């Protein structure tokens, strides 16, 4: 569902606009709509999710009707229409990964983080969900973390605990840097 | 040792860079094609090779290329399908990660053959690291003069771009992929017109799988006839097989088509048998969409012949006792796996991934998921099993694209071969929640009963 709750004004930085222009040049003239998915990825990487204001701004940039952006953002599973945790852990839940224990990993994540699938932890750091086949069936169970889609393979419960601790430390480190 | 054509240099450090790839003979196919062959010569070699689409459908690549319309003054496009999302399949990820220049080189030669001056590699959005790898490889190739204007002084121009998807299995269907590349929802188009006549931006377009494009490189280097010498019958060349599930050594293997299933599954060169000393129960040989077969039927055909890793041998017996090579996503199930639970899982996948255009698929996959969930959780009835068969039958063949068939076949085949396990879930509901059915009579005929 589209979120209009957080309708603050959105600004694209010079860096982003430069990247947008480079992307649009990949397509023939008049076919700038082709840039829509790559641009939505860029915007989501910057803001963490796609607010209606951000999508409207993309529509304006590509000379599209806002609905053309909404209908695409709502179709593809990678686009988030609500804020997620700073680290959104996505575990493959499809057949081959389940043959090697993906369901146990998801149960473990739920217990460890104390939030259900799709919910965000109180500190805003974590959310998790099951996703469909990530084309890594030989390395299962697997999970990925956007926006760079870093990949973690052959997961065990202990491995997941370590990963969460690492991510927590990373967030604390970043906070210390920002404070100092 | 089996011949390798795609993964020959996979273990060489730095083969993902232009420099090392070039040292190992990379980009010779571009030089040969652009300097000594006409586009039609390249097409002829691909036809002679007998190469068949490696994405799953197995349609002859040369024939697909020959259908491309060539009206004057209208651009033509080559689009590479790197949307790999068929459960069980992870070979394209492997190829793009470790030897990206094989794909770039194949794209250049193929674009030359088709007369495409702008080509796109559509990669599923979750493979962001692979997208970065390909972008780097493209920049290196361009810097070395293998992309851009007047490549190697041949007069041929080519720009190559990587396009990220947004997370949708349906975009592996070629017309849905083109819609997505045009910045729209991934709804498959009604055919005809086929992409060869009206594809990307309504222009003539060829869409080929990553592995098919990479295979063009050895075909041009060694000649189509040499390529066709490998393999059996109409299954020529080598194929990347993704081995997953409960095998001892999961991973991507390049095999010569014609290898026996038994050798692939049990030899240490490949899967190394079933993990943890368990016994084999079933195999899905070509990605989740193809019919599942019990152990006895995957190793031998109904006629008792050894089953081979070829398009023909895997299909022997039709859907009654055979399956398909598909995308080469080979998933092994050990004796502890529940067929009903897996069928429910796969059906949830298809329901989730149905684009929703066609009612039989949109509604049918949802109903099948619900009924399978009910049976798996011990609340099913015998009529539910027949209902599943009925719904699957009513999806199959009644949709715009093959996702409907792909959703119907796993359900129909699971019930065809494992009906007693479904019935056991109905009659022993409480027990089914506690334990798995086990091997029953599908035991792997090659392993002694312990």
């Amino acid at each position: 569902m589209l979120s209009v709750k957080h309708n603050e004004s959105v600004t694209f930085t010079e860096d982003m606009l430069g990247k947008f222009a480079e992307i649009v040049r990949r397509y023939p003239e008049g076919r700038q709509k082709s840039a829509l998915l790559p641009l939505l990825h860029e915007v989501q990487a910057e803001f963490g999710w796609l607010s209606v204001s951000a999508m409207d701004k993309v529509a304006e940039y590509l000379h599209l009707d806002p609905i053309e952006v909404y209908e695409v953002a709502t179709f593809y599973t990678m686009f988030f229409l609500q804020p997620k945790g700073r680290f959104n852990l996505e575990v493959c839940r499809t057949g081959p990964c389940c043959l090697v224990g993906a369901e146990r990993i998801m149960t473990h994540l739920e217990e460890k983080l104390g939030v259900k699938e799709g919910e965000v932890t109180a500190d805003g750091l974590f959310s998790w969900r099951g996703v469909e086949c990530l084309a890594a069936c030989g390395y299962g169970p697997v999970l990925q973390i956007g926006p760079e889609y870093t990949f973690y393979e052959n997961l065990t419960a202990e491995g997941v605990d370590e990963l969460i601790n690492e991510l927590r430390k990373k967030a604390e480190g970043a906070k210390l840097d920002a404070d100092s | 040792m089996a011949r390798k054509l795609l993964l020959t240099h996979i273990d060489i450090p730095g083969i993902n860079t232009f420099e090392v790839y070039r040292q190992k003979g990379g980009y010779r196919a571009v030089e040969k094609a652009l300097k000594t062959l006409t586009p039609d010569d390249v097409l002829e070699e691909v036809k002679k090779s007998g190469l068949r689409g490696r994405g799953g459908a197995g349609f002859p690549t040369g024939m697909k290329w020959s259908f491309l319309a060539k009206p004057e003054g209208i651009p033509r496009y080559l689009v590479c399908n790197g949307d790999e999302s068929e459960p069980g399949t992870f070979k394209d990820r492997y190829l793009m990660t470790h030897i990206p220049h094989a794909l770039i080189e194949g794209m250049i030669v193929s674009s030359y053959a088709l007369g495409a001056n702008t080509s796109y590699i559509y990669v599923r959005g979750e493979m962001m690291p692979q997208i970065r790898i390909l972008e780097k490889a493209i920049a290196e190739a361009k810097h070395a003069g293998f992309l851009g204007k007047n490549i190697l002084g041949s007069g041929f121009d080519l720009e190559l771009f990587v396009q990220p998807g947004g997370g949708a299995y349906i975009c592996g269907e070629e017309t849905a992929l083109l819609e997505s590349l045009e910045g729209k929802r991934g709804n498959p188009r009604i055919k005809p017109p086929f992409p060869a006549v009206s594809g990307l931006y309504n222009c003539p377009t060829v869409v080929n799988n990553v592995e098919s494009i990479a295979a063009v490189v050895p075909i041009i280097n060694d000649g189509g006839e040499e390529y066709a010498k490998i393999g059996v019958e109409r299954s020529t060349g080598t194929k990347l097989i993704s081995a997953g599930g409960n095998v001892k050594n999961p991973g991507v293997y390049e095999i010569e088509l014609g290898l026996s299933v038994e050798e692939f599954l049990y030899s240490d060169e490949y899967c190394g048998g079933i993990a943890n000393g368990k016994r084999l129960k079933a195999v899905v040989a070509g990605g989740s969409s193809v019919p599942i077969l019990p152990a006895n039927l995957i190793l031998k055909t109904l006629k008792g012949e050894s089953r081979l890793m070829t398009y023909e041998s895997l299909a022997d017996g039709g859907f009654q006792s055979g399956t398909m090579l598909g995308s080469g996503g080979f998933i092994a199930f050990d004796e502890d796996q529940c067929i009903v639970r897996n069928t429910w899982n796969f059906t949830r996948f298809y329901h989730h991934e149905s684009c929703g255009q066609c009612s039989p698929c949109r509604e049918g996959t949802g109903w099948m998921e619900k009924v399978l969930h009910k049976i798996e959780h011990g609340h099913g009835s015998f009529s539910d099993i027949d209902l599943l068969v009925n719904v699957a039958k009513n999806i199959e063949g009644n949709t715009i694209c093959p996702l409907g068939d792909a959703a119907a076949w796993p359900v129909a085949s699971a019930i065809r071969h494992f009906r007693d396990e479904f019935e056991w879930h109905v009659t022993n509901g409480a027990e089914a929640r506690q334990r798995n059915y086990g091997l029953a009579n599908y035991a792997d005929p090659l392993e002694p009963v312990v």
Side-chain angles (χ1 to χ4, degrees):
Chain A
M1 208 162 57
L2 300 185
S3 173
V4 287
K5 278 185 294 193
H6 302 264
N7 248 356
E8 69 263 13
S9 74
V10 168
T11 318
F12 296 152
T13 62
E14 283 301 312
D15 273 2
M16 288 173 81
L17 291 170
K19 182 79 186 164
F20 289 3
E22 183 268 310
I23 291 169
V24 169
R25 279 197 296 274
R26 297 171 187 174
Y27 317 101
E29 210 169 324
R31 298 293 182 175
Q32 79 283 357
K33 188 173 177 177
S34 279
L36 182 50
L37 272 80
L39 256 58
L40 290 179
H41 280 301
E42 293 291 332
V43 172
Q44 182 164 289
E46 181 73 19
F47 301 112
W49 66 294
L50 299 176
S51 65
V52 166
S53 325
M55 288 191 277
D56 289 350
K57 195 101 176 157
V58 170
E60 195 186 315
Y61 182 86
L62 290 176
H63 309 292
L64 302 173
D65 289 328
I67 185 69
E68 294 178 82
V69 180
Y70 306 158
E71 65 177 11
V72 162
T74 51
F75 182 86
Y76 296 96
T77 56
M78 289 179 74
F79 298 126
F80 306 142
L81 306 171
Q82 304 285 337
K84 299 277 168 190
R86 168 151 167 224
F87 303 107
N88 185 45
L89 281 54
E90 298 182 311
V91 186
C92 175
R93 66 171 192 178
T94 314
C97 273
C98 287
L99 295 182
V100 289
E103 286 160 309
R104 285 196 300 275
I105 295 294
M106 286 192 279
T107 312
H108 182 75
L109 261 182
E110 182 167 341
E111 284 167 8
K112 177 84 183 168
L113 295 174
V115 288
K116 289 203 181 334
E117 183 170 8
E119 295 174 354
V120 183
T121 53
D123 57 9
L125 276 187
F126 294 98
S127 52
W128 72 277
R129 66 168 177 165
V131 292
E132 296 298 353
C133 187
L134 294 176
C137 320
Y139 326 114
V142 294
L143 72 75
Q144 63 180 12
I145 305 176
E148 277 305 316
Y149 291 88
T150 323
F151 222 68
Y152 300 88
E153 304 172 349
N154 301 311
L155 295 173
T156 57
E158 299 76 44
V160 167
D161 291 348
E162 272 173 40
L163 173 63
I164 290 171
N165 289 341
E166 256 171 54
L167 294 172
R168 272 218 176 91
K169 269 187 211 148
K170 196 171 151 189
E172 278 163 19
K175 192 170 173 291
L176 287 176
D177 285 349
D179 289 348
S180 63
Chain B
M1 196 70 182
R3 268 170 296 181
K4 287 190 174 28
L5 300 178
L6 300 175
L7 305 182
T8 323
H9 301 300
I10 196 81
D11 293 327
I12 293 173
I15 196 69
N16 58 338
T17 64
F18 177 85
E19 201 186 343
V20 176
Y21 182 76
R22 179 82 173 130
Q23 274 167 15
K24 290 290 160 193
Y27 289 92
R28 270 189 303 137
V30 175
E31 289 173 316
K32 182 172 175 182
L34 269 57
K35 288 180 177 168
T36 67
L37 302 174
T38 66
D40 282 345
D41 292 338
V42 176
L43 170 62
E44 269 318 301
E45 292 303 322
V46 173
K47 273 190 181 166
K48 273 190 242 166
S49 75
L51 174 67
R52 293 167 68 174
R54 300 300 195 220
F59 191 81
T61 304
M63 199 185 290
K64 194 173 192 178
W65 285 13
S66 68
F67 293 153
L68 185 69
K70 295 179 177 170
E72 276 297 308
I74 294 175
R76 304 189 278 273
Y77 291 101
L78 170 63
V79 179
C80 175
N81 183 345
D83 191 54
E84 186 169 63
S85 353
E86 170 86 3
T89 316
F90 50 101
K91 67 191 176 71
D92 295 338
R93 166 195 290 275
Y94 185 80
L95 194 85
M96 292 188 285
T97 305
H98 298 289
I99 190 154
H101 284 283
L103 175 58
I104 309 298
E105 183 173 10
M107 285 299 287
I108 300 168
V109 176
S110 306
S111 299
Y112 173 71
L114 298 167
N117 300 114
T118 305
S119 296
Y120 298 96
I121 305 174
Y122 182 101
V123 180
R124 62 179 295 177
E126 295 94 334
M127 292 197 196
M128 214 50 95
Q130 285 68 30
I131 290 172
R132 304 283 179 244
I133 290 169
L134 289 172
E135 284 174 342
K136 179 170 170 275
I138 287 171
E140 288 175 334
K142 195 166 184 173
H143 183 72
F146 285 96
L147 281 169
K149 294 254 177 252
N150 191 20
I151 300 169
L152 307 179
S154 65
F156 174 62
D157 304 336
L158 178 63
E159 292 297 338
L160 187 53
F161 300 105
V162 186
Q163 176 83 358
Y169 169 71
I170 191 62
C171 291
E173 195 278 337
E174 62 179 12
T175 60
L177 185 152
L178 295 174
E179 287 286 297
S180 181
L181 180 47
E182 291 183 3
K184 302 177 204 158
R185 295 164 76 95
N187 288 343
R189 297 174 181 171
I190 294 171
K191 295 185 261 192
F194 288 90
V197 174
S198 179
L200 183 63
Y201 311 132
N202 303 322
C203 297
T205 303
V206 166
V207 183
N208 284 143
N209 171 258
V210 169
E211 184 188 348
S212 311
I213 299 266
V216 172
V217 175
I219 288 169
I220 294 307
N221 279 334
D222 307 333
E225 275 171 26
E226 277 302 306
Y227 187 88
K229 283 180 191 166
I230 303 173
V232 183
E233 298 172 64
R234 288 177 55 241
S235 298
T236 60
T238 65
K239 170 96 189 79
L240 299 181
I241 305 291
S242 323
N246 303 122
V247 296
K248 204 166 165 187
N249 312 320
V252 174
Y253 298 100
E254 182 170 11
I255 64 159
E256 290 185 24
L257 286 169
L259 179 76
S260 77
V261 174
E262 183 186 331
E263 188 179 348
F264 180 68
L265 194 51
Y266 290 101
S267 101
D268 287 332
E269 195 180 334
Y270 303 106
C271 299
I274 305 304
N276 305 316
K278 305 264 186 202
R279 298 174 67 202
L280 177 67
K281 180 173 183 177
V283 165
V284 171
S288 61
S289 305
V290 310
I292 188 170
L293 289 182
N296 52 347
L297 280 177
I298 188 67
L299 294 163
K300 287 192 169 33
T301 66
L302 204 55
K303 288 175 272 179
E305 289 165 359
S306 178
R307 185 89 74 179
L308 307 180
M309 300 287 281
T310 65
Y311 294 95
E312 294 79 15
S313 179
L314 282 167
D316 188 287
F319 275 8
Q320 281 311 307
S321 63
T323 180
M324 292 161 79
L325 178 63
S327 60
F330 192 96
I331 313 163
F333 296 70
D334 72 23
E335 57 193 289
D336 293 339
Q337 303 302 337
C338 174
I339 299 298
V340 178
R341 188 167 186 82
N342 183 73
T343 310
W344 163 58
N345 183 300
F346 277 175
T347 304
R348 180 180 66 179
F349 170 83
Y350 290 107
H351 180 216
H352 185 265
E353 299 301 331
S354 172
C355 81
Q357 271 193 121
C358 312
S359 314
C361 174
R362 181 188 63 238
E363 304 300 323
T365 52
W367 281 111
M368 290 198 303
E369 183 196 340
K370 284 191 190 81
V371 174
L372 281 160
H373 184 272
K374 188 174 151 199
I375 298 173
E376 160 62 7
H377 291 84
H379 305 295
S381 61
F382 281 106
S383 63
D384 286 333
I385 303 174
D386 295 325
L387 178 62
L388 283 172
V389 174
N390 182 283
V391 175
K393 203 177 285 173
N394 280 293
I395 299 175
E396 190 181 347
N398 291 321
T399 55
I400 290 174
C401 87
L403 190 142
D405 298 344
W409 294 341
V411 175
S413 60
I415 296 175
R416 186 181 307 126
H417 297 297
F418 299 90
R419 193 173 186 111
D420 51 343
E421 190 165 337
F422 283 81
E423 291 178 349
W424 178 78
H425 275 73
V426 170
T427 48
N428 301 62
E431 200 184 345
R433 286 194 289 275
Q434 302 300 322
R435 72 169 185 94
N436 284 328
Y437 184 63
L439 265 183
N441 51 347
Y442 319 117
D444 171 356
L446 296 178
E447 285 189 1
V449 178
V450 184

